Amino acid sequence: MHADLPRQAHISWWMEEARADASFDASEPCPPLAGSSRSDVVILGGGYTGMWTAWFLKERDPSCDVLLLEADELCGSGPSGRNGGFCYGVWEDLETLVKFFGDADAVRVAEIAQRSVDEIETWLTTQGVDAWFTRAGHLTVATSAAQDGAWGPLVEEAARLGVAGGRFVELDQAAVRARCASSVFGAGLLQPQNATLQPARLALGLRKALLERGVRIHEASPVARFAEGPPVVVETRDGATVTAGRGVIGLGAWASSLPRFRRAVVPRGTYIVVTEPAPERLADIGWTGGEGLADWRTALHYLRTTPDGRIAFGAASAAVGVGVGLGPRLRYDERSVVKLIADLRRFFPSWNEVAIDAAWGGPMDITGRHLPSFGTLPGGAMHYGLGYAGGGVGPSHLGGKILSALALGIEDEHTSLPLVELDMMRFPREPFRSVGAALTQHAIVRKDEAEDRGGRADPLTMFVAKIPRRMGYELGP
Ligand SMILES: Cc1cc2nc3c(=O)[nH]c(=O)nc-3n(C[C@H](O)[C@H](O)[C@H](O)COP(=O)(O)OP(=O)(O)OC[C@H]3O[C@@H](n4cnc5c(N)ncnc54)[C@H](O)[C@@H]3O)c2cc1C
């Protein structure tokens, strides 16, 4: 092990922080499922998707008996309790939405998805959950010459559709650096309506609200197999079973291990390091407004602050495909962590002396269209929601509305969105899928790193990095 490597957080620093605060939530893990049970709806996976679905099921039908199974020690132990906490909708995917759905539906999807940011804020307030919700905007900046003006096509598309006003604010370099002074930062794009939050506090807050509403949660209860029904029959690794009228799959990247989704979802690792608190250094660089920041690399950096003056700094990495799967490297990957720390110091040299407190990672669920998909499996009793590709904090709330409606047989404005029953593009068969994903992801990282150094990638690297897009996937440069 590298001598200077930070410790691996237990789940994430966010989860440690939330669980250490007894006034926030001192609840014990729920017991694993045992024996044979029945429920109206069984939910597989205790991330935001599964939990928001349970929440909206109870909202719409308080008598609905909901049972939720989570594999890990606690709900929110997956990406939902490990993410960067950037809370936004899908406006940044506007060009992709227009390409697949046309102008009117693209705007409809983006407007409805954005409502979730407002509704999460309201939910946190009404439920008394302090998840540090801070609406200070999402600021995406150029961190190399190659990224200059990268947001131009997005802003032009929004202007063409008449939806840019107030939503996208272009900032010049001086205005960006007034918000956060890094010599690496050029101009950027501010989306003022977006927020950051403490992701594990949201997850644990949701979990607590569900328990109070009578949702039966079983943790340390990994699902081993299920029959799609009807009826849906789910069996855990310990042999306990649930029979239910309806089932909901909220397994995120883990859905890629189900034969049905194997060619529709690819897990990709993304990692975060968090510094020790240094509020005086945050003040020195003027980053006191709470903005969430990201750059325009293909494998982007994302960074934010905490109320006690830390920087959390993350990026997507090359850990994908061959030999990685969903194993321990997706929780901690030395090479990715070393690179992250170097990039953090490059962005903010005045933080060189500030120690790194912890590091962790998790899998994103990447789909070919780079959009979340919701739907119903043949048989009509099992529904699924996945494919947020590193952007699910806001959209999983919309996912919960969609999946609860599908499970209750309700048709509404959410189930009529084109994200529902969206044909999921298939990735190539193994071993081509893993080998291809690894090669293109490495090329993307090489391209980004060449651009970080002020240069450009060589033609072969660019050729490989662009293969997914040439094959019709909304992935890569
Ligand atoms: C490091 C990181 C940073 C990110 N940053 C952001 C961000 O800043 N903003 C943003 O919008 N998105 C971000 N994301 C993505 C976001 O976290 C996800 O899109 C979102 O959490 C997805 O929620 P989910 O419920 O669909 O999936 P998950 O949170 O993955 O939940 C799935 C759950 O299923 C459980 N499970 C797996 N297998 C089984 C089984 N066999 N039986 C039962 N349960 C099982 C898992 O343990 C997990 O708890 C990030 C992701 C990562 C990993």
Side-chain angles (χ1 to χ4, degrees):
M1 177 140 167
H2 201 286
D4 300 329
L5 275 175
R7 71 188 176 88
Q8 177 179 355
H10 182 68
I11 308 294
S12 67
W13 179 83
W14 311 116
M15 196 53 104
E16 292 175 351
E17 190 283 332
R19 300 212 75 202
D21 180 355
S23 69
F24 179 74
D25 180 17
S27 63
E28 291 300 310
C30 299
L33 184 74
S36 314
S37 306
R38 289 188 168 272
S39 67
D40 295 327
V41 181
V42 59
I43 297 177
L44 284 57
Y48 297 142
T49 299
M51 290 197 283
W52 281 123
T53 302
W55 172 262
F56 287 112
L57 280 169
K58 283 290 193 189
E59 278 275 284
R60 295 175 128 140
D61 178 1
S63 70
C64 183
D65 182 20
V66 183
L67 189 149
L68 185 151
L69 297 172
E70 165 56 42
D72 216 315
E73 62 188 43
L74 215 56
C75 290
S77 297
S80 295
R82 303 188 212 169
N83 64 74
F86 293 73
C87 185
Y88 39 61
V90 293
W91 278 111
E92 259 186 45
D93 293 309
L94 186 60
E95 295 154 278
T96 306
L97 294 169
V98 167
K99 176 176 164 184
F100 292 127
F101 306 143
D103 292 357
D105 265 350
V107 171
R108 192 163 73 95
V109 170
E111 282 178 341
I112 289 182
Q114 190 66 34
R115 277 187 219 153
S116 284
V117 177
D118 303 337
E119 290 175 18
I120 289 171
E121 179 178 26
T122 307
W123 186 89
L124 291 169
T125 307
T126 52
Q127 296 300 314
V129 176
D130 178 8
W132 307 355
F133 187 97
T134 307
R135 198 191 294 265
H138 185 54
L139 177 56
T140 42
V141 301
T143 53
S144 69
Q147 297 169 25
D148 274 342
W151 49 92
L154 169 62
V155 176
E156 278 165 30
E157 189 68 330
R160 182 183 72 78
L161 294 166
V163 294
R167 190 161 278 131
F168 296 112
V169 183
E170 292 185 80
L171 301 184
D172 63 17
Q173 184 184 67
V176 166
R177 291 189 186 182
R179 288 168 179 268
C180 179
S182 164
S183 60
V184 172
F185 290 173
L189 184 70
L190 179 70
Q191 296 172 71
Q193 71 278 13
N194 292 334
T196 58
L197 49 75
Q198 208 282 33
R201 284 176 170 253
L202 170 59
L204 294 182
L206 250 173
R207 174 182 181 275
K208 186 163 178 243
L210 295 181
L211 289 171
E212 285 166 3
R213 294 224 162 179
V215 173
R216 292 188 281 155
I217 295 179
H218 294 280
E219 290 158 335
S221 302
V223 173
R225 60 186 69 82
F226 58 86
E228 293 171 8
V232 175
V233 183
V234 178
E235 186 181 337
T236 65
R237 213 172 284 164
D238 294 340
T241 59
V242 186
T243 304
R246 297 291 178 119
V248 173
I249 301 172
L251 295 173
W254 285 271
S256 63
S257 52
L258 300 175
R260 192 173 281 289
F261 294 105
R262 195 163 286 152
R263 290 182 61 193
V265 187
V266 184
R268 179 184 297 168
T270 175
Y271 301 88
I272 300 180
V273 295
V274 67
T275 67
E276 293 285 355
E280 67 296 340
R281 283 177 203 259
L282 269 188
D284 285 347
I285 58 174
W287 192 11
T288 50
E291 298 88 346
L293 274 157
D295 64 13
W296 285 85
R297 296 204 324 173
T298 306
L300 83 170
H301 289 113
Y302 47 93
L303 44 154
R304 52 153 310 164
T305 57
T306 62
D308 65 349
R310 299 165 190 261
I311 293 177
F313 191 98
S317 106
V320 64
V322 188
V324 176
L326 282 156
R329 260 184 75 192
L330 283 181
R331 287 183 175 247
Y332 193 94
D333 176 57
E334 290 188 7
R335 273 179 54 195
S336 303
V337 170
V338 167
K339 184 76 188 56
L340 272 180
I341 296 171
D343 281 343
L344 167 62
R345 311 262 191 238
R346 183 167 63 84
F347 279 32
F348 305 112
S350 62
W351 283 64
N352 279 353
E353 306 306 318
V354 181
I356 306 295
D357 185 350
W360 68 96
M364 298 183 286
D365 45 355
I366 308 288
T367 58
R369 294 183 198 269
H370 207 262
L371 291 174
S373 298
F374 307 93
T376 301
L377 300 183
M382 195 91 192
H383 312 284
Y384 62 87
L386 46 81
Y388 305 99
V393 174
S396 58
H397 176 269
L398 170 61
K401 291 187 205 170
I402 292 172
L403 292 167
S404 59
L406 292 176
L408 294 172
I410 297 170
E411 290 181 12
D412 62 13
E413 62 169 343
H414 305 115
T415 58
S416 74
L417 290 174
L419 299 174
V420 181
E421 298 305 344
L422 175 63
D423 159 46
M424 294 177 82
M425 291 176 74
R426 286 158 75 80
F427 290 111
R429 287 187 188 286
E430 292 292 8
F432 304 104
R433 183 183 73 142
S434 289
V435 174
L439 285 176
T440 52
Q441 180 65 5
H442 280 289
I444 287 167
V445 170
R446 279 203 306 281
K447 165 203 158 290
D448 283 341
E449 289 178 352
E451 292 174 357
D452 286 349
R453 291 191 296 272
R456 295 276 175 172
D458 61 86
L460 178 62
T461 299
M462 281 313 288
F463 179 82
V464 177
K466 286 187 172 175
I467 287 175
R469 208 160 278 273
R470 241 182 269 121
M471 291 173 73
Y473 302 111
E474 288 294 302
L475 303 172

